[in-house]
Amino acid sequence: MKKILLAGLCLLALLVPALTACNSGGNGSGTPSENTEGLIVIGFSQVGAESDWRLANTKSMRETFTEANGYKLILKDAQGKLENQITAIREFIAQKVDYIVFAPISEEGWEDVLTEARKAGIPVVIVDRMIKTSDDSLYTCWVGSDFHKEGDTAVAWMEATFQDKADLKIVHLQGSIGSSAQIGRTDGLGAGADRNAGWDVIYRATGDFTQVKGKEVMEYVLKQFDRIDVLYCENDNMAFGAMEAMDMAKRTYGINGDTQIISFDATRAGLDATIKGKITYNVECNPLHGPRVEAIIKQLEKGETPDKLAYVEEVAFDAATITQEVIDARMY
Ligand code: GZL
């Protein structure tokens, strides 16, 4: 009898998780699956996987919000589409997650879905980029970079470095149009061009923060312009694509070349290009937001009130002074 009973209990033990698993989220009931018992459920809508920066950002979130740390992370990759982010946030609302976290692909278009999240009583933490809204009660708090400061840092370096040049022919490779990162970095260059009469932005286009599009745009540019003094590139991956195009066109760049490349993100690959003198100046944009978002959620869990806006400290790297020790000491 005992053996039969034990066998029965073992069989039941095997069945229960399987049944639970079958019901986990698949029943459309809108409740997180039972296997999140005791875990804080985080719905995270990520822009996509367009750049090294984005991959490092996603990695930071995954490494922070683990079940071992007490979280269930539901990560949705929007593949670069605003409508996918809005759909994901609606799914998180239906699943009654504990927190909604998202990196907004663009600044516009969030009022309706964030109003729905507020009605559902789900705190929203915005990470990385920002949204444009007149009602900041639509989100609990934000953590990310000061993109205008990043642009200003790059332009201050340009003004110091090129102060003796009568004129400067500049090509501007923009990030995804409408994203805070693009807006801030573009505004920085715009203000610099307004202040420096000799600066001439001879061409401006978006490379959408990707290497493929950065190369495509630069292939076109190189056919139009023989002289490019500066390539102001709003992230490393577009700079890598532009370098590919310049290599193919046998155009020189970097500290000993005709075109000085200014980039943003300072990813590991970007800093490797900087210490090699291929990128002349690289402005950091720190992607390690996982621990920062967790600190906010821990405060909220304790009933505390985190700062509404939290800017991350960032630096910049000059090919003339960067060292391998500095690069090796970095976390990404
Ligand atoms: C910046 C981030 C930008 C990076 C790009 O915080 O939003 O998006 O600069 C990334 O590399 O694609």
Side-chain angles (χ1 to χ4, degrees):
M1 180 60 178
K2 203 172 181 180
K3 276 189 179 167
I4 293 170
L5 180 62
L6 186 60
L9 285 175
C10 288
L11 180 61
L12 181 63
L14 284 173
L15 277 176
V16 167
L19 288 174
T20 304
C22 291
N23 287 327
S24 59
N27 57 15
S29 69
T31 54
S33 61
E34 285 69 18
N35 62 4
T36 62
E37 200 51 48
L39 299 175
I40 296 172
V41 182
I42 313 280
F44 175 44
S45 170
Q46 177 59 293
V47 166
E50 74 283 0
S51 66
D52 291 21
W53 188 98
R54 187 65 53 198
L55 298 178
N57 182 244
T58 299
K59 182 169 179 281
S60 175
M61 294 292 285
R62 284 191 190 282
E63 288 174 350
T64 300
F65 294 106
T66 61
E67 294 205 4
N69 289 343
Y71 302 97
K72 171 74 179 174
L73 178 67
I74 305 171
L75 191 154
K76 296 273 187 183
D77 176 339
Q79 295 175 342
K81 293 185 173 61
L82 172 63
E83 60 269 23
N84 290 348
Q85 286 203 288
I86 290 172
T87 300
I89 291 172
R90 287 200 166 110
E91 286 171 2
F92 296 151
I93 293 168
Q95 290 170 305
K96 297 185 173 66
V97 299
D98 296 307
Y99 294 90
I100 290 170
V101 180
F102 74 108
I105 192 160
S106 61
E107 293 200 343
E108 309 273 353
W110 299 99
E111 264 82 3
D112 291 349
V113 72
L114 294 183
T115 301
E116 293 163 31
R118 183 175 57 189
K119 276 195 189 121
I122 302 175
V124 171
V125 178
I126 303 177
V127 63
D128 173 23
R129 302 174 183 174
M130 191 38 150
I131 65 169
K132 193 172 284 178
T133 179
S134 55
D135 180 0
D136 70 2
S137 73
L138 287 175
Y139 62 95
T140 304
C141 46
W142 169 89
V143 56
S145 299
D146 183 340
F147 301 111
H148 282 89
K149 186 178 176 187
E150 291 177 0
D152 293 344
T153 299
V155 167
W157 179 86
M158 288 171 67
E159 287 175 319
T161 305
F162 304 121
Q163 58 185 322
D164 300 332
K165 280 185 82 74
D167 63 337
L168 212 52
K169 301 293 182 193
I170 302 166
V171 167
H172 180 189
L173 258 177
Q174 295 178 287
S176 305
I177 300 299
S179 68
S180 318
Q182 175 270 312
I183 292 167
R185 295 166 188 168
T186 291
D187 286 355
L189 179 59
D194 290 345
R195 285 195 302 269
N196 298 274
W199 289 15
D200 179 11
V201 180
I202 56 178
Y203 190 81
R204 168 175 287 140
T206 182
D208 222 4
F209 287 133
T210 69
Q211 185 160 339
V212 168
K213 282 195 74 175
K215 181 181 177 189
E216 276 171 21
V217 172
M218 203 60 190
E219 282 168 343
Y220 171 80
V221 166
L222 293 167
K223 294 186 178 99
Q224 312 305 319
F225 304 99
D226 295 331
R227 177 189 160 192
I228 303 170
D229 300 318
V230 173
L231 171 61
Y232 184 95
C233 204
E234 293 183 357
N235 89 326
D236 286 336
N237 292 82
M238 294 191 295
F240 303 152
M243 286 182 224
E244 283 182 271
M246 287 189 275
D247 288 340
M248 287 170 71
K250 308 236 183 304
R251 300 279 284 270
T252 64
Y253 54 86
I255 55 175
N256 300 313
D258 293 336
T259 301
Q260 301 310 305
I261 299 177
I262 290 153
S263 186
F264 295 81
D265 284 353
T267 58
R268 181 53 58 94
L271 292 181
D272 289 345
T274 304
I275 199 168
K276 290 186 178 111
K278 293 181 176 181
I279 291 176
T280 308
Y281 195 68
N282 204 327
V283 179
E284 178 187 26
C285 182
N286 191 300
L288 306 182
H289 291 318
R292 299 176 182 122
V293 174
E294 185 185 29
I296 288 169
I297 287 173
K298 282 183 171 173
Q299 281 186 274
L300 294 170
E301 285 289 298
K302 287 188 279 187
E304 296 171 4
T305 306
D307 292 340
K308 188 77 177 177
L309 304 175
Y311 289 94
V312 293
E313 284 301 312
E314 293 170 336
V315 296
F317 302 90
D318 190 324
T321 56
I322 192 171
T323 65
Q324 194 58 48
E325 290 72 26
V326 164
I327 295 175
D328 293 345
R330 292 174 60 74
M331 289 173 64
Y332 74 99

